[in-house]
Amino acid sequence: MNKVNGLLYGLLSSASFGLIPLFTIPAMQAGMQFESILFYRFLFACLALGGILLVNGQSFRIKRQDIPSLFLLALLYLMSAVFLFWGYKFMASGVATTIHFMYPVLTTLIMMLFFKEKKSGWRIAAIASAVAGVYFLSGGDTKTGSFSFLGLFIVLLSALGYALYLVTMSQLKIGQMKGLLLYVFLFGGILLFIGTETISQLQPISEWHTAGNLILLALIPTVVSNLALVRAVKSIGSTLTSVLGAMEPVTAVCVGIFLFGEAFTTSIGVGIALIIAAVIVIILKR
């Protein structure tokens, strides 16, 4: 029963993360810039996570020496989120989320190049499969805006940011600290607020449906996804949980096709399949 619950939590985590476009794109269509969307996402997520810590009677205290590490993690997480949301302006949300899902591939490359992780034929083949997948995605219908090379570069930066976030967390060894996620979002929100004040003014929430989308963005693909991820890892381990992460691009593609009318071509389907296969192979071999 514990393993069954772990599988369900893993599916819930990845599927809910894949719902990011469902709440983000309507807010962008209402005229809100992605910087403001991210700020409210982080703000509402902090409030929700703080409430959970309070209800559970957990301490908010952190060590002073952990603050620089938390700021670094927040910066990398923010980099990943900003570039993913920016990428939605240039390509279909399902395609963008699939490219972002290449982060395990980039994590493996970083570990092999900079941390002397063992190379293997399987991993190299998986990386080649992921590159081929991006190639097939680039054959998407550019007339409908489902793909652009600028968008590809932007979303690859998003995947790189998340890969660096995971590598940094593992190297800093502060992942067991209570309230880690709360402070990552808190510091990320502070950095984003500073950025929006210097680049463009933070936009107020002027409509109820936009407020609803922002709150749901903070709760479902952020708080629920991350909390379910923790439960899944505890029950079935990180490897199997990561494999279940293949639901992320599948969910995003379904949302894009059925709710936003995004194009789905054979080329896009082959690209998605190659990237998901590459990620699963890398995770299983790790």
Side-chain angles (χ1 to χ4, degrees):
M1 183 58 66
N2 188 44
K3 288 186 177 181
V4 171
N5 288 337
L7 290 171
L8 293 176
Y9 278 124
L11 289 172
L12 174 63
S13 174
S14 58
S16 57
F17 185 86
L19 292 176
I20 285 180
L22 178 62
F23 308 115
T24 303
I25 292 178
M28 295 175 73
Q29 291 173 342
M32 184 162 282
Q33 298 298 313
F34 62 85
E35 299 96 338
S36 296
I37 294 173
L38 274 173
F39 175 78
Y40 290 117
R41 178 193 181 189
F42 283 15
L43 173 63
F44 295 144
C46 282
L47 293 175
L49 289 166
I52 292 171
L53 288 177
L54 202 60
V55 169
N56 291 334
Q58 296 182 356
S59 174
F60 287 79
R61 186 177 301 173
I62 58 174
K63 297 177 181 178
R64 183 176 300 177
Q65 60 264 32
D66 286 333
I67 292 178
S69 299
L70 288 170
F71 261 108
L72 176 59
L73 289 173
L75 182 63
L76 292 172
Y77 194 97
L78 180 61
M79 168 188 168
S80 176
V82 165
F83 284 119
L84 177 60
F85 282 22
W86 191 12
Y88 289 156
K89 289 189 172 184
F90 297 93
M91 62 171 63
S93 61
V95 174
T97 306
T98 301
I99 295 172
H100 172 78
F101 187 60
M102 283 184 61
Y103 66 82
V105 178
L106 296 178
T107 301
T108 297
L109 271 174
I110 292 170
M111 295 302 293
M112 288 194 305
L113 293 175
F114 299 103
F115 296 96
K116 309 302 181 183
E117 188 172 86
K118 183 180 178 181
K119 300 179 178 66
S120 71
W122 278 105
R123 287 175 181 167
I124 294 172
I127 292 169
S129 175
V131 172
V134 172
Y135 171 79
F136 276 99
L137 287 180
S138 69
D141 185 0
T142 54
K143 292 182 181 179
T144 64
S146 64
F147 186 87
S148 78
F149 287 101
L150 177 59
L152 169 63
F153 177 71
I154 290 170
V155 181
L156 280 176
L157 287 178
S158 167
L160 177 62
Y162 199 73
L164 291 172
Y165 171 78
L166 295 177
V167 172
T168 302
M169 182 178 291
S170 66
Q171 295 299 314
L172 292 176
K173 302 185 185 304
I174 61 172
Q176 299 300 318
M177 189 186 73
K178 290 182 179 179
L180 169 68
L181 194 60
L182 169 63
Y183 286 102
V184 167
F185 286 126
L186 175 62
F187 294 153
I190 293 172
L191 292 170
L192 191 58
F193 180 75
I194 295 171
T196 53
E197 283 298 297
T198 56
I199 298 172
S200 61
Q201 293 296 318
L202 183 67
Q203 296 172 278
I205 304 174
S206 57
E207 299 177 347
W208 283 106
H209 65 86
T210 300
N213 280 319
L214 293 174
I215 292 172
L216 290 173
L217 175 66
L219 294 179
I220 298 177
T222 308
V223 175
V224 170
S225 179
N226 281 283
L227 293 179
L229 180 69
V230 172
R231 292 286 188 93
V233 170
K234 287 183 178 180
S235 300
I236 59 176
S238 59
T239 298
L240 188 52
T241 301
S242 299
V243 172
L244 294 175
M247 283 297 295
E248 294 174 16
V250 173
T251 304
V253 167
C254 291
V255 168
I257 292 171
F258 295 114
L259 295 181
F260 300 122
E262 294 175 351
F264 185 81
T265 64
T266 302
S267 180
I268 289 175
V270 172
I272 290 171
L274 286 171
I275 289 176
I276 291 176
V279 170
I280 291 176
V281 167
I282 278 182
I283 290 169
L284 289 177
K285 297 307 290 184
R286 288 178 69 88

